Amino acid sequence: MATEDSNMATHNEVDNNLRNYLRDLNSCSDEYRNARIKVNHKSLLKKRNKFLYKWKMVIRASIVAAIGFWVYSSDLYKTMINEKCLLQSSSVEYIEDLARPIIKDCSYCTIDAIMELENLDVQTFYEKYAYSAVPILVKDGMRGWNNTIFTFENLKKLYQKHLNEGKSTEDCQFIYWNDSPMKNLHELFSSREMETFLQNKKALWYVGWSNCIPKVTQILREHYSIPYFFGRTEQMGMDWIFMGSANYKGAPLHIDSVTHPSWQAQVRGRKLWELIPPPECLSECPLKKHRVVVEPGNVFVFDSNRWYHSTRILEGENSLTIGSEFQ
C-alpha cells in the first residue's frame, strides 16, 4: 500500500512538472511569436519607407526636369543665352535672380504693346499705370527740363569739383557692364587715361551710378525735376545716371531687386529697351518680348522688379539717362 501511494505521488509530481513545462513552453512560444511579429513589422516599415523615399526622389527629379525643360524651351532662356547674361552678370545678381519672390499675379503682362502717351494727367497716371507694373513711354515726359548741363564735359567738371565732398564716392554704387574700363567715379571723371579713352570715338563703354554726392544732386536738380505727370516736385528716391557709347550694347538681360518702380528719362541718345516677363508668367502673356525705342525727351516708366529687361544704345549720339525710384 505504501508503495502504491509512493508511485501515485511520483506520477502526480511528473504530471505537474509536465504541465508546468508545457505551460512554460507555450509562454515562450507566445513571446517568440510576438517577437517575430515585431521584427516582421519593423522590416515591413523599413521596406515601405525605402519604397516611399525612392518614389519621392523620382517625383522630385521629374518636377525639376519638367521645369528645366519648360525654361529651356522658353523665349526667356533663349534670350538669356543669346545675351550671355549669365556670364556677364555677377554671381550675386544671379543668386538674387534665383532667390527673388515668385510673382503670383501676372495680369500686368497681358498687354499687346508698350503704350506711348502724351499729355498724361496726374489722375490717370496714378489710377492706371503708376503701381500696375504696366510699362509706359511718356513721349513728352521731360517737359520743362533744361538739358544744356547734361553733357559729359559739364558732368566731368561738376564731379571733379565735388568728388571729395560729403559722402565718400565708395558709398555711391557704380555699375559697369561689358568691357568698360571705368570701375568707379574717380576713374570715369578724373583719370587721364579714361579721358584719352573717351576721346576715342570708337571706344565702347556703358556705366551707371547712384548720385549720392549732395552738392552735385542739388546743382543737377536745378535743371530738372521729377516728371510732370507725378504731380509733385520733390524727388522720391536717389537719382541714377547711366551713360554709354552709341551703337553699343547696354545692360544685359536681368531683373532688379529694388524697393519701388522707377522712371528713366532719356536726356541724350537713343536706347532700345527689351522687356520679358518672368518664367512664371510666360504662359499668361500674349507676347513673350516687348521692345520700345526711347528717344531724347521721352520718359520710360516700368517696374524693374517684375520685368526682365535689357538695353542697347542705338546709332547716333552717346546715351545719357537720369532716373529714380518712386513710391
Side-chain angles (χ1 to χ4, degrees):
M1 192 69 180
T3 302
E4 222 176 276
D5 290 340
S6 176
N7 289 337
M8 181 64 70
T10 300
H11 177 75
N12 289 337
E13 183 179 355
V14 170
D15 192 41
N16 288 334
N17 288 338
L18 182 59
R19 285 197 193 94
N20 291 335
Y21 173 75
L22 290 173
R23 186 173 61 250
D24 291 342
L25 185 63
N26 286 332
S27 176
C28 290
S29 178
D30 291 340
E31 290 178 3
Y32 175 74
R33 185 168 56 254
N34 291 335
R36 283 296 303 273
I37 290 172
K38 288 181 180 179
V39 170
N40 288 338
H41 183 63
K42 287 181 179 179
S43 178
L44 288 172
L45 283 177
K46 278 186 178 181
K47 288 181 179 180
R48 188 197 69 172
N49 290 339
K50 283 184 179 180
F51 177 78
L52 291 176
Y53 176 76
K54 287 180 180 179
W55 270 106
K56 283 181 181 178
M57 295 304 294
V58 169
I59 292 170
R60 288 178 182 176
S62 300
I63 293 173
V64 171
I67 294 174
F69 177 77
W70 173 58
V71 172
Y72 175 79
S73 60
S74 68
D75 288 343
L76 175 62
Y77 175 84
K78 294 172 185 176
T79 305
M80 291 170 76
I81 293 300
N82 291 335
E83 294 288 339
K84 299 180 181 178
C85 70
L86 293 181
L87 299 178
Q88 293 172 354
S89 300
S90 69
S91 58
V92 173
E93 289 174 337
Y94 182 52
I95 291 172
E96 286 179 349
D97 285 358
L98 294 177
R100 68 176 177 82
I102 298 297
I103 296 172
K104 296 180 180 179
D105 181 6
C106 298
S107 58
Y108 68 92
C109 71
T110 57
I111 56 175
D112 296 322
I114 294 175
M115 293 189 66
E116 299 184 5
L117 307 169
E118 289 185 89
N119 298 315
L120 178 61
D121 63 88
V122 175
Q123 183 176 352
T124 301
F125 173 67
Y126 282 106
E127 286 181 354
K128 289 188 175 182
Y129 306 114
Y131 309 110
S132 67
V134 174
I136 59 171
L137 179 68
V138 184
K139 304 276 284 184
D140 60 347
M142 290 173 56
R143 183 193 299 174
W145 286 31
N146 178 6
N147 296 343
T148 55
I149 194 175
F150 297 109
T151 66
F152 181 80
E153 287 301 319
N154 286 340
L155 289 176
K156 182 175 72 172
K157 291 176 184 177
L158 185 60
Y159 275 94
Q160 283 179 342
K161 183 177 180 180
H162 299 286
L163 267 177
N164 297 318
E165 295 179 3
K167 282 189 175 183
S168 167
T169 55
E170 292 180 359
D171 297 328
C172 299
Q173 188 177 358
F174 190 91
I175 306 173
Y176 55 92
W177 289 272
N178 308 316
D179 302 321
S180 175
M182 291 78 80
K183 304 297 188 293
N184 54 58
L185 283 174
H186 278 285
E187 289 185 358
L188 179 60
F189 291 118
S190 297
S191 168
R192 290 183 179 179
E193 291 80 3
M194 292 307 106
E195 187 173 348
T196 303
F197 171 81
L198 294 172
Q199 287 174 352
N200 179 6
K201 293 184 178 180
K202 295 183 179 180
L204 301 175
W205 55 283
Y206 186 66
V207 298
W209 67 92
S210 60
N211 189 22
C212 70
I213 302 175
K215 189 62 177 178
V216 174
T217 299
Q218 178 186 341
I219 294 172
L220 289 179
R221 288 184 182 177
E222 292 174 359
H223 299 269
Y224 77 96
S225 61
I226 194 168
Y228 72 88
F229 49 86
F230 281 90
R232 49 180 179 247
T233 56
E234 73 271 17
Q235 200 75 15
M236 295 309 299
M238 182 175 292
D239 299 343
W240 275 84
I241 300 175
F242 296 91
M243 297 180 66
S245 52
N247 196 26
Y248 188 54
K249 54 190 175 183
L253 189 69
H254 67 288
I255 194 166
D256 290 340
S257 178
V258 294
T259 309
H260 305 293
S262 60
W263 58 268
Q264 276 202 31
Q266 190 70 33
V267 182
R268 297 189 180 278
R270 301 165 63 241
K271 188 182 287 184
L272 171 67
W273 286 77
E274 290 189 351
L275 270 59
I276 298 176
E280 61 267 31
C281 293
L282 286 175
S283 61
E284 299 184 35
C285 306
L287 288 178
K288 309 305 180 188
K289 181 187 295 185
H290 294 276
R291 292 185 176 185
V292 63
V293 175
V294 184
E295 306 275 355
N298 297 171
V299 171
F300 187 45
V301 183
F302 81 115
D303 192 338
S304 61
N305 299 300
R306 305 183 78 177
W307 290 93
Y308 279 86
H309 52 283
S310 65
T311 59
R312 180 176 182 83
I313 303 170
L314 303 178
E315 293 182 358
E317 192 177 12
N318 287 353
S319 174
L320 191 155
T321 63
I322 293 179
S324 177
E325 294 178 51
F326 65 89
Q327 61 182 358

